[in-house]
Amino acid sequence: MTFTLHVDGARWRAHTGRVLAGTPGLVPVVKGNGYGFGCGLLAAEAARLGVDVVAVGQADEIGAVRSAYAGDVLVLTPLDPRVPSTAPAGSDDTVIWTVATMGGLKAAAGRRVVVELLTSMLRFGFSDAELAAVAEQLPAARVEGYAVHLPLAGDPRARAAEVDSAIAKLAGAGLTQTSRRTTLWVSHLTEAELADASARHRGLDLRARIGTRLWLEDPAAVQARAAVLAVHPVRRGQRYGYWQRRATRSGHLVVAGAGTSHGIALTAPTPAVGLGQRVKTAGTGGLEALGQALSPFRVAGRRRWFAEPPHMQVSMIWLPEGVGAPSVGSELDVDVRMTTATFDRVVVSA
Ligand SMILES: *Cc1c(COP(=O)(O)O)cnc(C)c1O
């Protein structure tokens, strides 16, 4: 329990509340490491936000959200009978399956499905040529709408054009009717792009699947901290660590409670979306030339060098003479990427 994510609850919830208010049809994405917070905590937040559906990445994550969230769950990775791990376990009717292949569509007979169209992402989806065959199969399916997953980069006009072209293709294949509203599940459209798309297509209900922008956009709402477990004075020339390196000058070794199992990498991670701007990478001079790496741990406001590569649950950090050593039991701020960090606990302040 030495690596902790501290969440300023009021601030974090003010942000998620703003995203909810600005995004009609919001579908919170709860997957992977739960964006650092954990899937259970995010599922509880989704329940608090009052949304009617959340999205998980994979079928085996349904259980992780279930204990905290009772609404519908959309699975983003397409169901494909060639990939047994994508197959549904049980017959829970609150689950909506994504399908992106004919095999998947057939295997999902009797289940609620979202039909994904291939975009310039080239990740998952039916090609244009396959849409006619999808239309033939539809009477057997319970279609909850269509989906497009857009790239993050690119000109907003190209993104808008991709949404328009998806809608035109659906109409061309006879998958939409002007007399009926159509639900389009989208990823990575901004609030302005969502509003524009709704205005251009009056018969469309947009469902925006959002993870990063919902959970992580306010950098000041979260801070990772590692407990200081030990501090040792070191003389110039003294050996230390697994590799018995010699100290090139005197200073302190700080043993901090976060290591590789928490996602602490040898190379300082790229700052998380939002966490980033506070990070001013210190000069990469002498120590790097000696094969050392700048750590994500901060002491006295600056990131410090690893004394050696991080261990499983601790890291040894080098503090040069003249920098006040932290006390055992205090916590160091750590600049981590939230989507690769694994915390021992998450503390949400009221
Ligand atoms: C993960 C995922 C999202 C959410 O992505 P963020 O960048 O975290 O908002 C949306 N759509 C799909 C299909 C995804 O796999």
Side-chain angles (χ1 to χ4, degrees), residues 41-67:
L41 191 151
L42 294 188
E45 282 306 304
R48 224 184 44 82
L49 290 170
V51 296
D52 59 347
V53 53
V54 300
V56 296
Q58 306 186 341
D60 58 339
E61 291 168 333
I62 296 168
V65 304
R66 262 297 161 246
S67 51

Side-chain angles (χ1 to χ4, degrees), residues 274-343:
L275 279 180
Q277 299 325 314
R278 283 171 292 158
V279 179
K280 298 273 182 292
T281 307
T284 51
L287 283 175
E288 207 163 55
L290 294 172
Q292 265 154 286
L294 194 62
S295 86
F297 298 90
R298 288 176 172 272
V299 178
R302 281 184 54 182
R303 284 166 58 185
R304 303 294 170 177
W305 297 92
F306 280 118
E308 71 172 7
H311 307 171
M312 181 71 93
Q313 290 173 310
V314 304
S315 293
M316 296 177 83
I317 300 150
W318 174 252
L319 272 193
E321 215 163 34
V323 179
S327 49
V328 171
S330 66
E331 285 190 314
L332 305 182
D333 286 357
V334 192
D335 295 336
V336 288
R337 174 181 278 204
M338 290 282 283
T339 50
T340 57
T342 305
F343 298 100

Side-chain angles (χ1 to χ4, degrees), residues 228-285:
V228 174
L229 304 177
V231 178
H232 306 287
V234 180
R235 298 179 314 276
R236 180 167 184 266
Q238 188 175 353
R239 291 189 183 277
Y240 64 86
Y242 278 141
W243 309 107
Q244 291 291 287
R245 279 181 178 156
R246 281 186 195 276
T248 52
R249 44 184 179 145
S250 46
H252 286 91
L253 279 179
V254 177
V255 183
T260 53
S261 72
H262 299 103
I264 301 295
L266 181 60
T267 309
T270 314
V273 171
L275 279 180
Q277 299 325 314
R278 283 171 292 158
V279 179
K280 298 273 182 292
T281 307
T284 51

Side-chain angles (χ1 to χ4, degrees), residues 31 39 45 132 161 170 177 191 194 202 211 214 247 267 291 332:
K31 68 181 178 186
C39 287
E45 282 306 304
L170 290 171
Q177 281 130 38
E191 282 178 17
L194 288 164
R202 290 284 173 199
L214 175 63
T267 309
L332 305 182

